[in-house]
Amino acid sequence: MLQTVLEEVRHRSSPVHKRIRDILSNSDKHFYTFVNEFHKDTYVERLPKESANDRNDRAIRVAAAWYKSHLTATDIVLITNDIENRNKARSEGIKSYTVQEYVQSIEKYPELVDKVAQIELERKHAPDADIYDGRRVTYPEHLPLSALQIGIKAGTYYQGTFHASRENYLEANIGIKDQEDMVFVQGHAHMNRAVEGDIVAIEILPTNQWKCPSSMMLEDQTQAPDDEEAANDDLAAGTHSHKLRTGKVIGIIKRNWRQYCGILQSSFRKDSTRHLFVPAERKIPKICIETRQAVQLQGQRLVVSIDSWPLHSRYPQGHFVRKLGEVGDKETECEVLLLEHDVPHSSFSESVLSFLPKVPWSIPEEELKVRSDLRHLDVCSVDPPGCTDIDDALHCRLLENGNFEVGVHIADVTYFIRPGNAMDKEAANRGTTVYLVDRRIDMVPELLSSNLCSLRSDGDRLAFSCIWELSANAQIISVKFMKSIIRSKASLTYAEAQMIIDDPGRQDALAGGLRQLNVLAKQLKKYRKEQGALTLASPEVRFHIDSETHDPIDIHTKNMIDTNSMVEEFMLLANISVAKRIHQEFPRVACLRRHPPPPALNYEPLVKAAASKGFDLDISSGKALADSLETAVIPDNPYFNTMLRIQATRCMMQAVYFCSGTLPESDFMHYGLASPIYTHFTSPIRRYADILVHRLLAAAVGADATYPDLLEMKKLQNICNNINFRHRMGQYAGRASVALHTLLFFRNRVVDEEGYILFVRKNALQVLIPKYGLEGTVWLKSENPECPEFVFNEEEYSQTAGAAQFCLFDPVTVQISIDSSNIQHQKVQLKLVKPEIHGFSVPAVAPSSTPPPGFDTEASQHTIKKQRIE
């Protein structure tokens, strides 16, 4: 790799230059740099009237010629995609090929051709090239970057992030910076080759061209790379009275392409080398690749990269990268969901592990001298079953003045992870621990997460303690923070702690402390709700995993008990208390967490849904909404209020971390918790934000020193941005893992269950099944000519078929099975059992009284840890 080339790449693309440097620094790759610009036989002066590019091309040829004369026994080959430079090299007696030509000449490994980037496809498949049906999509040409910048500066155009719809491949939304409302985009031409996550420039259309989202759920059914049948299909327009601000993409400012997982779509042309790759992520369009291994790759999960999206190509062009394994294999599918959600999951490097303490480890004598010794207190932890990364522990005791001392003790991770070292950088990059159904992807090495930092009841641990004096009615008298040493008396599950509280025979100090914590927690929750804190809902499930096969053998929704709420209330109180303290000490660089109030438009589906049952929801404030939700009860439909709260959850904005100096204090509010200021302090084993907060709090109380990066606002905000991304992706990965294990559970089962209609679409019903916390779709289409026509009323959100009417929140009985017709997206399939519609409903299956094969009530239980409303 010549120095001339490296310099040119550096000026063109920093990310590509970094990748090349990484390859060069890896001795296993056998790539080397030749500093031809500083070698007496290869340096060339720029000639009069010679362009810089021509001079560099000549320098490359001179270096190749020198190698040829210097290494006479070796075949020297110059590889370049610059056709003119290749031809000149050949005329000068230098062997030269394009990358494509060179790779094609390697007969021993023909599959390497598939991995060559398809950079020539735009010319190769021009409008006059062979096509399947005589039609071709032509996208509008993107404006040059200079024109986009002028237009954005003048306010004619807007810059934003492209977010494709999962439900309808012909729709997307653009998030504009500093604007609450998104801009709606509809149709191929207006989406104009933008891909999920791209930074785009858009133009707002005249108001008479504004659209509303279609009520249809649409998937791209195209079968061949050049099949344009679906390209110009008219999209069934929505009939909402409220049209959305609508725009069109006029240029790409920055691509956000990455490697994508998916499968090869079967082709009806067996001799074709051009195939469609279908990404697992529905937001990504199909990708056209060239491969000669189509037969071997069928039924396999693949990784593909996008190379370009030519003006005249229906789909982006890309190339095959690697094969992951068979579709449906649990390990392969788990790898796919981690890759798709960009979850760093490789083993920790040697440089990271080198910063771990040597084992056996004990608390050093100097720490015993400077920390508060709290080992005499009756401290215990309360967590989900199977939890080994125990971040937090609690204690409560009665004081002589009649008040209570309550302590929240948090694992002191920052003692082991010092700023700027390799372990700290790795934790900052990972951002969060990711919890899947059957595994945990740690943010920090296991020696810390499950041993030295985890507040287990097997010895002394370092902690950061927040201790309040509370009155009997849970009013804060005082609060103090200290680095401490604790010794947990018990590591309890929520159920075990509840049993101790409810057992009148337990009158020891630990049981008394738990009972008093529970009483105080109920007072705290009452105060929060009076301030307008929202109690929302989302279905969470727990799987019983077979201890040998590791497959799910039972699934049920989690039951919330008092101890869940007890722990939550004190974690919230600690987070709020710490937020106030670090903001008081570091008003410009406190790491905080905010939850913006949703725009009124977000509430439209919720308000209409409640109105359909005669309830008028007040959305003027968080407290007004909380009070409205509290009174929205239907006695003979006990699940109605829960479903309404699930819908309210989906109206909410995402809570985000931020640096306090980047926003005015009026924007610090956490809407869901009704708290004017908030942060995360209580989970440093699994969240990097908490590590930052620990460092700020330690500096504030004089327990540790600050360092430059901690006090630099821009750097802190950049870290927050990464944490927000990792946190969001981790949540999505967790949900994908639940979906995967739900598929595995129902793979060989067909069952009937009670459900409720959560949404009514133009062509479908979205049904929630409380028993499994499962949401699925009943498609309202039938090939049976005896099936009556379904009539959609968008104002009432209802469907009518014959004498049967389906409205929001109505109970239904559905049959659950797995639809394997699409190997890429196997999914839970719901069919209507009751109410019965002739020609549409399916007969009920016979109930089974025997437990599922292999059911073991003692099997290990896995769950997603502590997904609180914060």
Side-chain angles (χ1 to χ4, degrees):
M1 188 74 71
L2 298 178
Q3 179 193 0
T4 304
V5 175
L6 273 178
E7 287 298 310
E8 199 160 327
V9 170
R10 185 169 65 85
H11 289 112
R12 290 189 184 187
S13 171
S14 295
V16 175
H17 182 257
K18 183 182 182 303
R19 283 164 56 195
I20 292 176
R21 297 294 302 182
D22 289 343
I23 291 171
L24 289 168
S25 62
N26 186 344
S27 58
D28 293 338
K29 296 289 186 182
H30 302 291
F31 269 69
Y32 305 94
T33 310
F34 175 46
V35 285
N36 60 305
E37 298 290 354
F38 296 99
H39 192 282
K40 64 183 178 64
D41 295 330
T42 56
Y43 173 75
V44 298
E45 290 279 0
R46 184 173 170 183
L47 302 175
K49 297 184 179 180
E50 185 178 38
S51 70
N53 186 64
D54 287 345
R55 180 264 169 205
N56 288 346
D57 286 350
R58 185 162 59 87
I60 291 168
R61 296 196 302 274
V62 167
W66 178 83
Y67 262 109
K68 184 181 177 184
S69 62
H70 184 64
L71 302 174
T72 54
T74 305
D75 217 8
I76 301 300
V77 179
L78 170 62
I79 298 178
T80 175
N81 279 345
D82 185 327
I83 302 301
E84 186 178 351
N85 200 27
R86 180 200 65 179
N87 293 340
K88 285 183 178 179
R90 288 176 176 177
S91 68
E92 295 170 11
I94 302 167
K95 279 189 181 178
S96 184
Y97 303 100
T98 64
V99 175
Q100 185 90 19
E101 290 169 339
Y102 182 73
V103 174
Q104 283 175 336
S105 72
I106 306 173
E107 296 179 357
K108 190 176 179 181
Y109 301 102
E111 68 275 10
L112 286 178
V113 177
D114 296 349
K115 300 194 176 191
V116 177
Q118 302 296 306
I119 58 173
E120 299 296 323
L121 286 178
E122 186 159 2
R123 280 193 297 245
K124 191 172 177 181
H125 299 290
D128 57 351
D130 292 336
I131 53 179
Y132 284 87
D133 61 2
R135 297 168 60 195
R136 175 166 296 279
V137 174
T138 301
Y139 290 100
E141 192 165 358
H142 291 148
L143 296 182
L145 189 59
S146 57
L148 297 178
Q149 290 170 336
I150 292 170
I152 292 169
K153 191 173 182 180
T156 310
Y157 308 141
Y158 296 90
Q159 177 177 321
T161 305
F162 185 86
H163 299 290
S165 168
R166 274 198 181 93
E167 295 183 340
N168 193 321
Y169 79 105
L170 292 175
E171 294 182 347
N173 289 286
I174 312 291
I176 309 296
K177 188 177 180 182
D178 299 327
Q179 293 189 18
E180 285 190 350
D181 295 342
M182 293 235 183
V183 176
F184 181 58
V185 181
Q186 190 178 74
H188 279 294
H190 286 173
M191 291 164 74
N192 198 6
R193 295 171 286 153
V195 174
E196 173 68 19
D198 284 352
I199 307 298
V200 300
I202 62 167
E203 182 179 18
I204 305 298
L205 297 174
T207 52
N208 62 353
Q209 295 181 34
W210 287 10
K211 302 284 182 68
C212 54
S214 170
S215 300
M216 301 285 283
M217 299 174 73
L218 289 182
E219 296 179 3
D220 186 354
Q221 301 295 332
T222 309
Q223 293 298 313
D226 295 301
D227 179 8
E228 312 302 345
E229 277 303 321
N232 298 311
D233 286 348
D234 291 330
L235 184 62
T239 57
H240 299 290
S241 57
H242 186 88
K243 293 190 174 182
L244 303 180
R245 186 169 58 142
T246 306
K248 62 180 181 180
V249 174
I250 55 171
I252 307 294
I253 294 171
K254 183 181 179 183
R255 287 291 192 188
N256 192 41
W257 293 344
R258 57 177 174 83
Q259 293 185 344
Y260 303 99
C261 302
I263 64 168
L264 209 61
Q265 184 168 290
S266 299
S267 174
F268 61 86
R269 289 183 57 173
K270 302 302 180 187
D271 59 335
S272 176
T273 59
R274 296 185 68 220
H275 297 271
L276 283 179
F277 166 83
V278 186
E281 171 55 78
R282 293 181 184 273
K283 291 185 173 189
I284 306 300
K286 295 178 180 179
I287 302 168
C288 182
I289 67 169
E290 290 208 10
T291 179
R292 292 146 190 82
Q293 307 175 70
V295 175
Q296 296 94 319
L297 296 179
Q298 287 297 330
Q300 299 287 318
R301 287 286 189 188
L302 315 177
V303 178
V304 160
S305 277
I306 296 179
D307 300 315
S308 63
W309 196 336
L311 193 66
H312 303 289
S313 172
R314 164 81 187 279
Y315 296 108
Q317 312 292 332
H319 68 276
F320 167 70
V321 176
R322 62 189 171 105
K323 182 170 68 174
L324 294 175
E326 286 188 20
V327 173
D329 173 74
K330 192 170 82 167
E331 288 304 312
T332 299
E333 297 300 336
C334 188
E335 177 75 6
V336 168
L337 73 87
L338 290 171
L339 289 170
E340 277 301 295
H341 294 98
D342 199 11
V343 175
H345 58 286
S346 58
S347 300
F348 289 101
S349 68
E350 286 300 320
S351 61
V352 169
L353 298 177
S354 69
F355 286 95
L356 288 172
K358 305 300 179 200
V359 289
W361 180 86
S362 60
I363 297 175
E365 195 64 36
E366 56 267 26
E367 290 300 314
L368 293 169
K369 293 176 181 176
V370 298
R371 289 174 179 261
S372 299
D373 190 343
L374 306 181
R375 288 175 288 183
H376 61 286
L377 297 174
D378 291 300
V379 172
C380 69
S381 62
V382 184
D383 290 282
C387 177
T388 61
D389 54 339
I390 302 173
D391 292 286
D392 51 82
L394 297 153
H395 90 271
C396 178
R397 63 175 179 171
L398 180 65
L399 298 175
E400 291 180 358
N401 62 6
N403 290 331
F404 295 93
E405 178 188 273
V406 175
V408 165
H409 311 277
I410 306 301
D412 189 4
V413 180
T414 55
Y415 172 82
F416 297 96
I417 302 180
R418 302 308 296 166
N421 68 23
M423 195 187 304
D424 182 48
K425 290 176 180 176
E426 181 67 19
N429 176 50
R430 294 190 177 212
T432 182
T433 292
V434 177
Y435 294 89
L436 307 184
V437 169
D438 62 342
R439 70 196 69 186
R440 188 181 76 209
I441 314 298
D442 281 324
M443 181 183 79
V444 299
E446 189 176 15
L447 178 64
L448 298 185
S449 66
S450 295
N451 188 346
L452 301 184
C453 291
S454 183
L455 303 183
R456 307 187 314 197
S457 55
D458 62 355
D460 298 345
R461 292 292 188 275
L462 300 179
F464 207 153
S465 298
C466 173
I467 298 179
W468 303 272
E469 182 179 341
L470 299 180
S471 66
N473 59 356
Q475 296 296 317
I476 298 175
I477 309 301
S478 64
V479 60
K480 54 187 176 181
F481 308 96
M482 65 195 72
K483 292 284 185 111
S484 62
I485 300 171
I486 66 166
R487 181 180 295 162
S488 176
K489 301 299 186 288
S491 299
L492 306 173
T493 65
Y494 291 121
E496 288 169 344
Q498 191 67 51
M499 283 167 41
I500 291 173
I501 290 171
D502 296 339
D503 182 2
R506 286 288 300 264
Q507 296 299 324
D508 53 278
L510 186 66
L514 284 170
R515 290 191 187 102
Q516 190 56 53
L517 284 170
N518 199 33
V519 171
L520 292 169
K522 289 178 179 178
Q523 291 274 14
L524 291 171
K525 187 170 186 176
K526 176 174 172 283
Y527 296 149
R528 284 199 308 108
K529 291 178 77 171
E530 287 172 355
Q531 293 299 312
L534 294 170
T535 303
L536 303 178
S538 61
E540 286 190 49
V541 299
R542 175 176 294 164
F543 291 89
H544 288 258
I545 304 294
D546 188 281
S547 55
E548 293 184 4
T549 66
H550 301 291
D551 288 335
I553 55 177
D554 193 22
I555 175 177
H556 56 83
T557 51
K558 293 183 188 177
N559 293 320
M560 303 299 286
I561 52 181
D562 279 356
T563 46
N564 292 82
S565 181
M566 176 188 79
V567 173
E568 179 180 4
E569 288 305 321
F570 285 107
M571 296 307 113
L572 296 177
L573 188 64
N575 288 333
I576 293 169
S577 297
V578 170
K580 292 176 180 176
R581 183 71 166 105
I582 62 173
H583 183 247
Q584 177 187 354
E585 193 74 24
F586 301 103
R588 300 285 293 165
V589 290
C591 177
L592 302 176
R593 186 163 174 83
R594 62 189 287 262
H595 182 213
L601 189 62
N602 282 27
Y603 283 125
E604 190 175 289
L606 175 67
V607 171
K608 280 191 173 183
S612 71
K613 295 298 180 184
F615 295 101
D616 183 17
L617 289 190
D618 185 351
I619 59 169
S620 59
S621 68
K623 178 161 175 47
L625 175 61
D627 292 342
S628 295
L629 289 171
E630 202 67 33
T631 58
V633 177
I634 300 177
D636 58 353
N637 187 348
Y639 206 67
F640 166 73
N641 188 263
T642 301
M643 288 190 292
L644 208 58
R645 291 180 190 275
I646 289 171
Q647 286 208 5
T649 303
R650 298 176 184 186
C651 299
M652 295 296 133
M653 305 290 282
Q654 187 91 28
V656 291
Y657 300 104
F658 69 103
C659 176
S660 58
T662 63
L663 291 171
E665 284 192 39
S666 57
D667 289 345
F668 288 9
M669 180 75 182
H670 194 296
Y671 179 77
L673 297 175
S675 177
I677 192 167
Y678 192 67
T679 193
H680 273 163
F681 162 75
T682 54
S683 295
I685 292 176
R686 63 187 179 95
R687 293 187 303 228
Y688 190 75
D690 301 55
I691 288 179
L692 293 176
V693 169
H694 274 231
R695 289 171 178 167
L696 288 164
L697 183 62
V701 299
D704 206 344
T706 61
Y707 55 97
D709 284 0
L710 187 66
L711 303 181
E712 190 171 324
M713 189 167 64
K714 187 174 180 181
K715 285 187 177 179
L716 191 62
Q717 185 58 48
N718 286 338
I719 295 172
C720 288
N721 293 342
N722 179 64
I723 297 172
N724 289 329
F725 171 75
R726 295 295 190 199
H727 178 73
R728 189 167 63 250
M729 290 298 104
Q731 284 186 318
Y732 293 160
R735 292 171 196 167
S737 180
V738 169
L740 170 61
H741 282 76
T742 303
L743 280 174
L744 293 172
F745 176 74
F746 284 110
R747 182 174 280 173
N748 299 311
R749 294 179 173 90
V750 178
V751 297
D752 293 346
E753 286 297 341
E754 298 297 317
Y756 295 90
I757 298 172
L758 200 55
F759 295 101
V760 179
R761 309 287 188 190
K762 190 171 185 178
N763 59 344
L765 303 175
Q766 296 287 114
V767 176
L768 179 69
I769 301 162
K771 179 177 178 179
Y772 298 120
L774 173 66
E775 189 179 322
T777 305
V778 177
W779 296 97
L780 302 180
K781 57 184 178 182
S782 174
E783 303 297 327
N784 191 332
E786 296 182 13
C787 175
E789 182 183 357
F790 284 89
V791 180
F792 178 50
N793 185 327
E794 196 161 4
E795 291 302 314
E796 296 180 0
Y797 284 117
S798 69
Q799 287 275 3
T800 305
Q805 186 178 42
F806 301 91
C807 299
L808 283 170
F809 311 119
D810 283 357
V812 291
T813 301
V814 293
Q815 192 171 99
I816 310 171
S817 60
I818 296 299
D819 177 8
S820 300
S821 58
N822 183 339
I823 190 173
Q824 163 85 323
H825 292 295
Q826 295 185 54
K827 57 189 175 185
V828 172
Q829 175 178 258
L830 301 186
K831 294 180 180 178
L832 185 69
V833 177
K834 292 180 182 179
E836 292 183 24
I837 299 175
H838 183 67
F840 183 76
S841 298
V842 297
V845 296
S848 172
S849 59
T850 58
F855 182 80
D856 176 10
T857 55
E858 298 302 317
S860 57
Q861 298 178 39
H862 297 268
T863 185
I864 298 172
K865 188 190 179 206
K866 298 182 189 170
Q867 299 295 340
R868 302 190 179 107
I869 59 172
E870 49 185 333

